[in-house]
Amino acid sequence: MAAHRKPRQRLTAGSAARTAATLAFAGAATAAVLPGAAHADPAPTAAQVKAQVDRLYREAEAATEKYNGAKTEAAAAAKSVDALRDEAARRTQRLNAARDVLGAYAAAQYRSAGLDPSVQLALSSDPDQYLRRATYAEQAGERRATEVRSVRRQVAEIAQVRAEAAGKLTVLAAKQAALKEHRATVQAKLAEARRLLARLTPAERAAYDASEDGRGPGHADRSAPRGAVAAPNPRAAQAVAFAYSALGKPYVWGATGPASFDCSGLTQAAWRSAGVSLPRTTYTQINAGQRVPRSQLAPGDLVFFYSGISHVGLYIGNGKMIHAPRPGAPVRVAPIDEMPFAGATRVA
């Protein structure tokens, strides 16, 4: 037994030595790595997070307006396809009726075509009556020829309508693909903004939410300003009144009311309440009326922001507007100076 224990003790000792050496090497390697880890980028400050989130929200809003435009165009393309399909169906129904008439005539001709007309005349017991009938048949033949030409024309027209519908379907598919792409962009931007906001402490997040809700420093409250400027006409007054009634409602991208809005959805709904139809997006609304300089703004005018015309509000006077800012910030009154001014349009 003793003879067997000695070698085992030597092996254990050797193993322990190797283990110790391995640990020492690993420790040295770890020590060599640790200084590098000390150079990791520090966590962003609350101000940096806010700046990044603001940028993401601006980019999401620009993508939202593209989404709104693609949605409008896709709806128009789908409506056009449906109209063309209906037209093709109506034309096909008329064509089938004309074909039925020609088919019946052709069958009658086939049944009576066994004898040559001169033979029929020779065998007729009343040649005068036969000649009268032959004249009628000739006239009927001319009418049938006209009907045949009409059928051919209808076939060509239906083929044209179907080809046009096929082209519209291709356009529709492209619009739907763009719609999907813009939706994915918006969702990705908003998800990244939520991820960044989740890194804030509860106190920092509360401060951020307060500022975005219009309760922080530098933000206007949601009450009507004192000394409000009168709108220049009843329609503008109605649009402004609608905007005031929407104060506090949430921002939801792609929404046009009545429970929630995005920026262009709010202005569209406001003017719709006044009987004026505006296009859906910021970059089309800016061309929906007469351009006015900033110095001549009046309540009801549309005010636009950023170089890409990606945001819009409804001017209410005294340098202020009502707008739907972004997710987490409800419809509110705000100064038009809080964003880069890009232009204004007077709708009515």
Side-chain angles (χ1 to χ4, degrees), residues 274-290:
V276 177
S277 178
L278 289 183
R280 179 64 182 92
T281 64
T282 52
Y283 51 85
T284 52
Q285 287 183 5
I286 196 170
N287 296 317
Q290 177 187 358

Side-chain angles (χ1 to χ4, degrees), residues 92-105 147 151 154-155 158:
T92 300
Q93 188 175 13
R94 291 196 296 269
L95 173 62
N96 290 338
R99 280 174 168 170
D100 288 343
V101 171
L102 285 178
Y105 176 74
E147 291 173 359
V151 166
Q154 290 181 61
V155 169
I158 289 172

Side-chain angles (χ1 to χ4, degrees), residues 49-110:
V49 168
K50 184 182 185 306
Q52 293 178 54
V53 169
D54 288 347
R55 175 182 56 79
L56 287 166
Y57 278 152
R58 286 196 301 273
E59 293 171 355
E61 187 166 51
T64 295
E65 291 305 311
K66 291 179 180 178
Y67 167 87
N68 292 337
K71 186 177 181 180
T72 300
E73 291 170 355
K79 185 176 180 180
S80 179
V81 168
D82 289 343
L84 287 169
R85 283 173 170 168
D86 290 344
E87 178 64 18
R90 287 191 297 271
R91 288 176 179 268
T92 300
Q93 188 175 13
R94 291 196 296 269
L95 173 62
N96 290 338
R99 280 174 168 170
D100 288 343
V101 171
L102 285 178
Y105 176 74
Q109 285 290 95
Y110 177 80

Side-chain angles (χ1 to χ4, degrees), residues 14-207:
S15 177
R18 285 193 298 274
T19 301
T22 301
L23 290 172
F25 178 78
T30 303
V33 172
L34 285 176
H39 294 293
D41 293 335
T45 65
Q48 289 171 331
V49 168
K50 184 182 185 306
Q52 293 178 54
V53 169
D54 288 347
R55 175 182 56 79
L56 287 166
Y57 278 152
R58 286 196 301 273
E59 293 171 355
E61 187 166 51
T64 295
E65 291 305 311
K66 291 179 180 178
Y67 167 87
N68 292 337
K71 186 177 181 180
T72 300
E73 291 170 355
K79 185 176 180 180
S80 179
V81 168
D82 289 343
L84 287 169
R85 283 173 170 168
D86 290 344
E87 178 64 18
R90 287 191 297 271
R91 288 176 179 268
T92 300
Q93 188 175 13
R94 291 196 296 269
L95 173 62
N96 290 338
R99 280 174 168 170
D100 288 343
V101 171
L102 285 178
Y105 176 74
Q109 285 290 95
Y110 177 80
R111 287 192 299 270
S112 65
L115 293 175
D116 183 87
S118 61
V119 176
Q120 293 182 38
L121 176 61
L123 297 177
S124 174
S125 60
D126 188 349
D128 291 337
Q129 184 182 30
Y130 175 82
L131 289 173
R132 286 195 300 272
R133 289 177 178 174
T135 301
Y136 297 150
E138 184 180 357
Q139 293 172 351
E142 291 176 356
R143 289 197 299 272
R144 299 308 172 196
T146 300
E147 291 173 359
V148 168
R149 288 193 295 271
S150 174
V151 166
R152 288 175 177 168
R153 185 184 67 253
Q154 290 181 61
V155 169
E157 289 173 351
I158 289 172
Q160 182 178 354
V161 170
R162 287 176 175 168
E164 188 176 351
K168 293 290 185 180
L169 278 172
T170 302
V171 172
L172 176 59
K175 299 300 181 186
Q176 290 173 332
L179 189 65
K180 184 177 180 180
E181 178 184 351
H182 295 317
R183 181 192 293 114
T185 299
V186 173
Q187 292 172 336
K189 298 289 185 184
L190 296 181
E192 178 64 11
R194 288 192 295 269
R195 187 189 67 79
L196 286 169
L197 289 172
R199 301 174 67 173
L200 297 177
T201 66
E204 290 169 341
R205 182 58 190 268

Side-chain angles (χ1 to χ4, degrees), residues 253-264:
W253 68 275
T256 59
S260 57
F261 302 91
D262 64 17
C263 68
S264 57

